[in-house]
Amino acid sequence: MNLWAPADDHVEPPDAPAGGSTASVGDPVAAVDLDRFLAASPGPAVIYDVDSLQVLAANYPAATCYGYSYEQLTGMGILELFTARDAEVVRRWLPTRSTVIQSTGPWSLHDPDGHAFQAMITSRLAQYRGRRSALAVPEPVPTSPVARSGQ
């Protein structure tokens, strides 16, 4: 299951709202079983609602990488994973997002104890359980002090 493969949906959908885009219901990713993807992914992956920014689902490697339990992680907003400075930048940037697949960073994230680490984040707009969502896959920067990621 390759969510990153080139497809016709790499262009702005014609019915996308001003200031951002989302994969339409007819987008090939809308039919992908993201729960199965999360279970099969060996690396951290998080799905969040693009409107509320609430974390909807995550896999075990994401919980391990960020240092939270699954319950804690899925009870948070995606911005709570970023340091205060980067959370503000991300909060302003997300509504302007104009591509379906995007790789950005490095971003400063932190664990529950406040220890910061850097990560590049690749994200993919999708539908998840009927909600406009994004799949975010963080890749800790090698010089980052995070050791929990197992990488």
Side-chain angles (χ1 to χ4, degrees):
M1 173 180 338
N2 185 354
L3 297 179
W4 317 116
D8 293 337
D9 61 354
H10 282 263
V11 296
E12 184 87 15
D15 57 346
S21 67
T22 183
S24 67
V25 175
D27 184 329
V29 127
V32 171
D33 183 351
L34 290 175
D35 288 316
R36 197 173 59 175
F37 176 82
L38 287 177
S41 177
V46 174
I47 298 171
Y48 66 93
D49 182 289
V50 297
D51 297 315
S52 71
L53 304 181
Q54 178 68 34
V55 175
L56 302 174
N59 62 2
Y60 179 76
T64 302
C65 175
Y66 290 116
Y68 295 93
S69 70
Y70 177 83
E71 291 76 19
Q72 289 172 314
L73 192 55
T74 56
M76 301 171 70
I78 194 74
L79 296 181
E80 293 176 70
L81 299 173
F82 292 86
T83 60
R85 183 186 64 81
D86 278 4
E88 181 58 25
V89 173
V90 171
R91 185 190 63 73
R92 287 192 318 262
W93 170 76
L94 282 174
T96 68
R97 182 179 178 156
S98 62
T99 57
V100 174
I101 297 176
Q102 206 155 24
S103 184
T104 60
W107 295 103
S108 293
L109 303 149
H110 66 85
D111 66 15
D113 297 324
H115 299 108
F117 64 96
Q118 299 283 306
M120 298 296 292
I121 298 177
T122 301
S123 60
R124 173 75 157 95
L125 293 173
Q127 292 288 324
Y128 182 70
R129 298 184 181 179
R131 296 170 83 168
R132 292 177 348 119
S133 304
L135 169 68
V137 178
E139 180 67 33
V141 174
T143 58
S144 176
V146 69
R148 278 191 285 276
S149 68
Q151 300 184 8

